[in-house]
């Protein structure tokens, strides 16, 4: 079997305290008295074959080898000298034991601890820092809500002054170039398309979409965490890839920790999927910092007249086309600007449609900063960055009523007004009051006992703190459960 990979001392607490194996010649062996009495006389041979024969004989009588992973003794000798009994020629064993010993070696090689030790051998830096992989391959090479969230977290990690971790980031080459990640992430090692090496923990900065993502990250890291932005795709179905329901069921059962951008999003996911009872479910939020939300100076004003800004995309749950049609009927002389809608369906003399994704931050900031009101009619959101960005610009933001907005309003300290509508009459009333400069019927503001509004560094630190806690010996470690399901079977069959 060989001595296996060399493990850093920091990895020992993540291994099981004890492990039963077939015979495993090692530098330090302790035989109990009953085993000494049961052992046959060793053959007249050199130490290596004699020791192996002794252990094989004891194993055939039912004595198993017990590895004690927490017993560590400093030794200056190289591995070849420490492990004198490895690679023993089986021909030196009695003939009837040779096939038996081969079986035991295959058994040993197939034990999951072999894979775990190989993984943990590279999971720490030479100075003992846990290597953390931030998987940003879900970052698209465009501007949308997902890219804003992932970039925000990465910027937060970049600003942290935390020690004890060695940060690595993996993103697609195209997205890294589009968003300038090399410039933004000087605190981390950046990998294009695929990570290299192994890690103590891997954090996917968006929800997983395929079982292959879980399998690949399991082979890469000891701890797995996923940042669940929302569970909308599984509810609307048409926007979900085939098999997504199964992928998220596995995620809920096999992760070490899950992160959510709101308590609303966490509760939705937990209601829909059977989450392991000891799973840490951590709400990190996204930035509610006024300075960070107003980080981009707006372009000059695009329209000289008052206008209503309607934000969303072409997904049905965003309800852009229907909302624009209702507003155009109610306010036929008012300019309506949409971002993210299908121009063919909404463009008229008084409706201007702008594509999302390629509008730069300064253009978006201009549209928000000078709008008379911002309408965000989505039925279902996980956090709603356009809403808090509009509030940071001091705008009246009108949203469809949801428990999420009560949650955000109780945390935020932003100059705008958050107004909720329930149907077409209350939508028209809210927009009309904004157009006429009347006081809005806004939600109650920040709660008196609310914590300080989080910025991106606080959100990222929340994630690192949970990873730190999950690396403790008594924490939930789902690696064995994942490996049982995701690792290739001993006969060569693929895992599900």
């Amino acid at each position: 079997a060989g001595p296996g990979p060399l493990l850093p001392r920091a990895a020992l607490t993540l291994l099981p305290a004890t492990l039963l194996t077939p015979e495993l010649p090692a530098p330090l062996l302790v035989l109990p008295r009953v085993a000494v009495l049961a052992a046959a006389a060793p053959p007249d041979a050199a130490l290596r074959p004699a020791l192996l024969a002794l252990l094989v004989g004891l194993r055939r009588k039912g004595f198993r080898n017990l590895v004690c992973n927490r017993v560590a003794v400093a030794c200056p000798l190289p591995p070849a000298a420490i492990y004198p009994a490895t690679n023993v020629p089986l021909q030196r064993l009695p003939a009837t034991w040779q096939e038996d010993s081969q079986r035991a070696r295959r058994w040993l090689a197939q034990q999951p601890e072999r894979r775990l030790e190989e993984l943990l051998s590279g999971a720490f830096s030479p100075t003992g820092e846990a290597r953390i992989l931030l998987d940003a391959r879900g970052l698209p090479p465009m501007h949308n809500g997902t890219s804003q969230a992932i970039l925000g977290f990465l910027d937060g990690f970049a600003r942290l002054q935390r020690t004890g971790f060695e940060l690595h980031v993996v993103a697609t080459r195209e997205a890294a170039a589009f968003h300038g990640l090399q410039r933004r992430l000087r605190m981390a090692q950046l990998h294009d398309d695929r990570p290299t090496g192994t890690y103590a923990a891997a954090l996917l900065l968006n929800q997983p979409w395929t079982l292959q993502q879980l399998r690949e990250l399991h082979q890469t890291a000891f701890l797995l965490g996923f940042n669940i932005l929302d569970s909308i795709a599984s509810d609307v179905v048409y926007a979900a890839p085939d098999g997504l329901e199964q992928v998220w069921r596995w995620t809920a059962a096999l992760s070490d920790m899950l992160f959510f951008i709101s308590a609303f999003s966490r509760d939705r996911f937990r209601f829909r999927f059977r989450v392991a009872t000891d799973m840490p479910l951590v709400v990190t939020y996204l930035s509610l910092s006024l300075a960070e939300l107003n980080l981009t100076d707006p372009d000059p004003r695009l329209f000289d007249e008052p206008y209503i800004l309607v934000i969303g995309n072409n997904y049905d749950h965003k309800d852009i086309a229907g909302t624009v049609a209702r507003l155009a009927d109610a306010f036929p002389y008012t300019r309506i600007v949409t971002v993210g809608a299908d121009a063919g369906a909404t463009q008229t003399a008084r409706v201007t449609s702008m594509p999302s994704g390629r509008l730069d931050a300064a253009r978006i900031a201009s549209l928000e900063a000078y709008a008379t009101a911002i309408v965000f009619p989505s039925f279902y959101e996980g956090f709603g960055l356009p809403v808090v960005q509009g509030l940071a610009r001091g705008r009246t933001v009108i949203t469809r009523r949801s428990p999420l907005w009560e949650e955000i309003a109780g945390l935020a300290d932003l100059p705008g007004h958050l107004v909720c509508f329930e149907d077409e009459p209350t939508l028209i009333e809210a927009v009309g009051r904004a157009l006429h400069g009347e006081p809005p019927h806004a939600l109650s503001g920040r709660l008196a006992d609310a914590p300080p509004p989080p910025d991106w560094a606080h959100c990222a630190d929340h994630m690192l703190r949970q990873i730190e806690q999950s690396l403790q010996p008594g924490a939930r470690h789902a690696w064995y459960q994942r490996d049982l399901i995701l690792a290739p079977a001993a006969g060569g069959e693929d895992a599900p």
Side-chain angles (χ1 to χ4, degrees):
L6 296 178
L7 287 168
R9 186 179 295 271
L12 295 182
T13 60
L14 302 180
L15 292 169
T18 58
L19 172 65
L20 281 172
T21 74
E23 59 273 5
L24 181 60
L28 176 61
L29 289 168
V30 177
L31 297 180
R33 181 172 182 272
V34 63
V36 173
L37 295 175
D44 184 13
L47 174 62
R48 289 169 44 173
L51 180 59
L52 181 60
L54 173 70
L55 297 178
V56 171
L58 284 172
R59 189 255 303 158
R60 289 172 63 91
K61 292 180 179 179
F63 291 89
R64 294 294 297 274
N65 188 71
L66 182 67
V67 176
C68 298
N69 286 314
R70 308 291 165 78
V71 178
V73 179
C75 181
L77 297 176
I82 297 174
Y83 291 85
T86 59
N87 300 320
V88 178
L90 296 180
Q91 291 79 5
R92 304 299 297 272
L93 292 176
T96 57
W97 290 9
Q98 291 181 21
E99 174 57 27
D100 177 52
S101 185
Q102 284 279 26
R103 287 188 64 204
R105 289 190 179 190
R106 290 195 299 269
W107 190 338
L108 184 63
Q110 292 164 4
Q111 287 195 277
E113 287 76 17
R114 302 292 290 182
R115 293 188 291 275
L116 179 56
E117 289 178 2
E118 289 177 4
L119 187 153
L120 290 176
S121 66
F124 295 84
S125 73
T127 56
E129 296 175 312
R131 299 176 77 231
I132 308 298
L133 176 67
L134 305 175
D135 191 337
R137 285 176 288 184
L139 175 67
M142 61 187 299
H143 302 293
N144 63 12
T146 299
S147 65
Q148 284 182 281
I150 292 177
L151 288 172
F153 280 112
L154 290 177
D155 287 342
F157 283 110
R159 287 197 289 272
L160 284 179
Q161 300 296 320
R162 290 289 303 274
T163 58
F165 298 103
E166 181 182 283
L167 295 180
H168 295 246
V169 176
V170 60
T172 66
R173 190 182 303 269
E174 186 180 7
F178 183 87
H179 296 288
L181 294 189
Q182 194 71 55
R183 169 183 50 81
R184 301 174 82 134
L185 303 176
R186 300 185 186 280
M187 85 304 176
Q189 298 183 40
L190 182 61
H191 304 261
D192 287 333
D193 298 321
R194 295 184 65 85
T196 59
T198 59
Y199 300 86
L203 172 58
L204 184 65
L205 292 174
N206 59 282
Q207 58 262 54
W209 296 104
T210 67
L211 193 60
Q212 178 58 31
Q213 287 179 288
L214 272 69
R215 184 183 290 111
E216 181 193 12
L217 289 177
H218 171 72
Q219 294 168 349
T220 301
F222 174 65
L223 297 179
L224 295 192
F226 298 92
N227 190 29
I228 308 297
L229 302 180
D230 56 59
S231 55
I232 295 169
S234 69
D235 284 329
V236 301
V237 178
Y238 73 90
D242 289 343
L244 181 65
E245 189 87 358
Q246 182 190 30
V247 172
W248 286 2
R249 288 183 188 278
W250 286 125
T251 301
L254 300 179
S255 304
D256 293 282
M257 64 201 92
L258 294 177
F259 298 95
F260 300 87
I261 57 177
S262 63
F264 175 79
S265 183
R266 176 201 62 197
D267 294 343
R268 288 271 174 131
F269 188 88
R270 183 165 52 186
F271 183 79
R272 284 154 177 73
F273 303 98
R274 191 180 298 277
V275 179
T277 55
D278 58 344
M279 175 94 67
L281 305 178
V282 182
V283 176
T284 61
Y285 293 107
L286 303 182
S287 177
L288 289 170
S289 163
L290 179 61
E292 290 181 339
L293 293 169
N294 276 340
L295 197 60
T296 302
D297 292 330
D299 279 347
R301 190 183 185 107
L302 300 176
F303 302 96
D304 293 331
E305 59 187 322
Y307 62 92
I308 305 165
L309 178 62
V310 184
I311 298 181
N313 58 39
N314 289 325
Y315 285 133
D316 289 358
H317 73 273
K318 298 290 188 177
D319 197 33
I320 292 294
T323 299
V324 169
R326 290 186 284 273
L327 292 176
D329 286 343
F331 306 101
Y333 303 109
T334 301
R335 168 72 59 189
I336 300 173
V337 180
T338 72
V339 174
D342 183 355
T346 57
Q347 189 87 25
T348 67
R350 301 299 294 164
V351 177
T352 302
S353 295
M354 296 188 174
S356 62
R358 297 292 169 177
L359 291 178
D360 62 28
R363 179 61 59 90
I364 293 291
S366 173
L367 291 171
E368 294 168 343
Y370 301 113
T372 302
I374 298 173
V375 179
F376 192 70
S378 175
F379 284 95
Y380 189 170
E381 291 298 313
F383 184 86
L385 268 173
V387 172
V388 296
Q389 287 174 177
L391 295 175
R393 298 287 177 187
R395 301 297 89 198
T396 293
V397 182
I398 303 167
T399 63
R400 196 179 303 272
R401 188 170 297 280
S402 164
L404 172 66
W405 308 124
E406 300 279 355
E407 181 182 353
I408 298 300
L411 288 169
D413 187 13
L414 301 171
H417 301 286
L418 183 55
V419 179
C420 289
F421 72 91
E422 296 184 3
D423 50 26
E424 183 173 351
T426 52
L427 168 64
I428 301 307
E429 178 192 5
V431 173
R433 294 181 71 88
L435 289 173
H436 290 89
E438 298 177 7
H441 298 313
L443 292 177
S444 299
R446 177 176 166 78
L447 298 175
D449 59 348
D455 59 16
W456 285 119
H458 177 275
C459 299
D461 186 64
H462 216 44
M463 289 180 162
L464 277 185
R465 287 181 184 276
Q466 181 56 56
I467 291 174
E468 197 170 42
Q469 291 178 21
S470 292
L471 283 171
Q472 301 303 313
R476 168 184 170 81
H477 292 160
W479 187 90
Y480 275 94
Q481 187 181 8
R482 274 196 309 274
D483 195 70
L484 182 65
I485 295 169
L486 298 178
E493 299 89 353
D494 286 337

